[in-house]
Amino acid sequence: MSIPQAPDEGAVRAETALRLERSMGTLGTAAVTRMESSLSWFRAMSAEDRSWVGLVAQSGVAAFVEWFKNPDRGRPAITVEVFGTAPRELTRSVTLQQTVEMIRVVIDVVENQVEELAAPGGVQQLREAVLRYTREVAFSSAKVYARAAEARGSWDARLEALIVDALLHGDREEGLPTWGSALSWSGTPVIALAGTLPDPGEQGVLDDVRARARRAGHDVLAGVQGERVVVVIGVGGASAASDDPLAAAAPLAGLLGPGPVVVGPAVADLRGAGDSVRAAVNGLRAATAWPDAPRPVLAEDLLPERALDGDADARARLVEDVYRPLRGSGSPLLDTLTVYLEHASSLEATARMLFVHPNTVRYRLSRVAELTGFAPSDGRGAFVLRVAVTLGRLGERDPGMVE
């Protein structure tokens, strides 16, 4: 009596591989058909993207057959053999979750035909190979999407830095809205803030700033220039920042390094954001002259320091908003303010010098506060008024100084 011989594993594998080769086209077509019937997102795709997905499915089947024929090759090179057939843009049309669903459909099609595809005695061998290949495809899918996300993040960071630099240097070309659209920018109004890195060379703060701003519903651009951090915020939703820029900037100030954090004025859109960026950066440079400034502080609250530091915009604002209203109201207000500031803010001394009653001085000073928004009796207000009057008088002598 003869004893049945166990089938040769290599021969069984070779026969199964031959059957798989003959069925590759059928399997790929069946997989695409199944996706069309069971995956709504696949049906909604453009014809071009559907064709690319179909090609990936066909490549996946072909790569499996080739790997099954040559088990000594070790782990299959799925990233190149399967996903290398599709353009990088496909990772934006198909999410990782959808890719997993697609893989599940392809594998399900193959598994349903294992008994027909496998050579006699090779069903278990083929089934185990399918399971291993499924695992490898899943790992490779995650790797492809992780690399795509990393590349996208690096590209976004470089574009953000480019936009911030363009805004700082006065680039108002039409390219700014286009660049913003590439980053899905939609928030308005727009404000900028400037501060320092928490630690020299540490740029991880940008990720924290972006995350916190986006959780608040804002668009955000951020860049590092030396030790300086510049953040541009597109205020989203019904935020109070449209009326008070500090409302959006304050939650981000704590993420920046020690020292002042300066907030530029709100502007209508990204095209005008350069004004806010330059005001914030100039304010940051001049803020050391006001050690007791709040954090964050508005760039407009630093107008005298900015003016003394050479900021032409700040000089023009002080002359236009403070000096000229006083000059236009007649000499009594300006003369009274000048004498008051020169005599240590003393009502009585000012009244004696002008030969008027102290109540008259008091009334005139209240008019100064109404016209300019700065009270002469307040230390900070007196400083702003003194600088504005000085610049205004110098500007009358040399108009080009405050233009």
Side-chain angles (χ1 to χ4, degrees), residues 28-82:
T29 301
V32 173
T33 301
R34 179 76 67 83
M35 281 189 279
E36 289 179 342
S37 64
S38 62
L39 303 178
S40 59
W41 60 264
F42 182 78
R43 294 192 298 272
M45 293 178 71
S46 66
E48 181 181 9
D49 284 343
R50 283 201 308 273
S51 67
W52 279 119
V53 171
L55 182 58
V56 170
Q58 295 276 6
S59 299
V61 174
F64 169 69
V65 173
E66 184 62 26
W67 171 74
F68 186 81
K69 286 168 56 180
N70 303 283
D72 295 336
R73 289 173 55 189
R75 297 181 63 181
I78 295 172
T79 301
V80 175
E81 294 177 354
V82 179

Side-chain angles (χ1 to χ4, degrees), residues 1-7:
M1 181 177 178
S2 61
I3 301 175
Q5 298 292 320

Side-chain angles (χ1 to χ4, degrees), residues 13-14 38 44 49 62 108 125 149 164 199 237-238 256 260 275 287 311 380-381:
R13 178 179 288 272
S38 62
D49 284 343
D108 187 54
Q125 183 185 64
V164 169
D199 296 300
L256 303 183
D275 292 336
D311 186 341
R380 180 69 186 173

Side-chain angles (χ1 to χ4, degrees), residues 26-385:
T26 303
L27 290 172
T29 301
V32 173
T33 301
R34 179 76 67 83
M35 281 189 279
E36 289 179 342
S37 64
S38 62
L39 303 178
S40 59
W41 60 264
F42 182 78
R43 294 192 298 272
M45 293 178 71
S46 66
E48 181 181 9
D49 284 343
R50 283 201 308 273
S51 67
W52 279 119
V53 171
L55 182 58
V56 170
Q58 295 276 6
S59 299
V61 174
F64 169 69
V65 173
E66 184 62 26
W67 171 74
F68 186 81
K69 286 168 56 180
N70 303 283
D72 295 336
R73 289 173 55 189
R75 297 181 63 181
I78 295 172
T79 301
V80 175
E81 294 177 354
V82 179
F83 296 103
T85 62
R88 291 183 180 180
E89 288 77 7
L90 192 63
T91 59
R92 300 185 186 180
S93 301
V94 182
T95 66
L96 179 58
Q97 179 61 39
Q98 290 170 341
T99 300
V100 172
E101 293 175 356
M102 180 183 72
I103 293 169
R104 186 178 294 118
V105 168
V106 174
I107 297 305
D108 187 54
V109 168
V110 176
E111 284 186 329
N112 287 340
Q113 300 185 42
V114 163
E115 294 187 0
E116 291 79 7
L117 294 171
V123 172
Q124 185 63 28
Q125 183 185 64
L126 178 57
R127 197 179 300 280
E128 291 177 356
V130 169
L131 291 175
R132 181 182 174 190
Y133 194 77
T134 302
R135 183 188 63 187
E136 295 295 341
V137 170
F139 287 151
S140 295
S141 300
K143 184 183 297 184
V144 167
Y145 277 85
R147 288 177 177 173
E150 182 179 2
R152 172 71 180 180
S154 298
W155 183 85
D156 284 355
R158 288 193 295 271
L159 182 57
E160 285 187 28
L162 177 64
I163 294 175
V164 169
D165 186 69
L167 291 172
L168 180 59
H169 292 91
D171 189 343
R172 296 169 180 260
E173 296 181 358
E174 294 300 320
L176 285 173
T178 302
W179 294 344
S181 296
L183 296 170
S184 301
W185 182 278
S186 61
T188 56
V190 178
I191 62 172
L193 67 149
T196 59
L197 289 172
D199 296 300
E202 175 55 51
Q203 299 194 20
V205 65
L206 296 187
D207 293 333
D208 296 335
V209 168
R210 292 187 187 104
R212 182 168 295 184
R214 286 167 182 159
R215 281 198 300 271
H218 308 315
D219 290 334
V220 61
L221 304 172
V224 172
Q225 299 168 337
E227 298 301 315
R228 182 173 61 207
V229 179
V230 179
V231 182
V232 181
I233 303 171
V235 180
S239 172
S242 57
D243 300 319
D244 179 12
L246 292 177
L252 306 180
L255 299 174
L256 303 183
V261 174
V262 182
V263 183
V267 295
D269 52 33
L270 190 60
R271 188 179 288 114
D275 292 336
S276 186
V277 170
R278 287 189 295 277
V281 169
N282 289 339
L284 180 66
R285 188 174 58 242
T288 54
W290 187 13
D292 295 329
R295 175 189 161 103
V297 60
L298 293 174
E300 293 188 347
D301 290 342
L302 288 161
L303 285 176
E305 287 81 7
R306 289 166 52 195
L308 294 173
D309 195 41
D311 186 341
D313 290 338
R315 289 181 176 181
R317 282 286 307 279
L318 286 172
V319 172
E320 184 67 28
D321 297 347
V322 179
Y323 178 74
R324 287 182 181 169
L326 291 174
R327 193 80 173 85
S329 67
S331 59
L333 287 189
L334 190 56
D335 291 344
T336 299
L337 173 63
T338 301
V339 173
Y340 180 77
L341 294 176
E342 290 294 334
H343 286 79
S345 300
S346 169
L347 287 173
E348 290 74 14
T350 302
R352 287 194 300 270
M353 289 295 298
L354 296 175
F355 302 102
V356 297
H357 193 278
N359 285 341
T360 301
V361 175
R362 188 176 288 108
Y363 169 75
R364 291 176 181 176
L365 294 180
S366 67
R367 287 285 297 134
V368 169
E370 290 175 6
L371 283 172
T372 66
F374 298 100
S377 58
D378 173 71
R380 180 69 186 173
F383 174 62
V384 174
L385 290 166

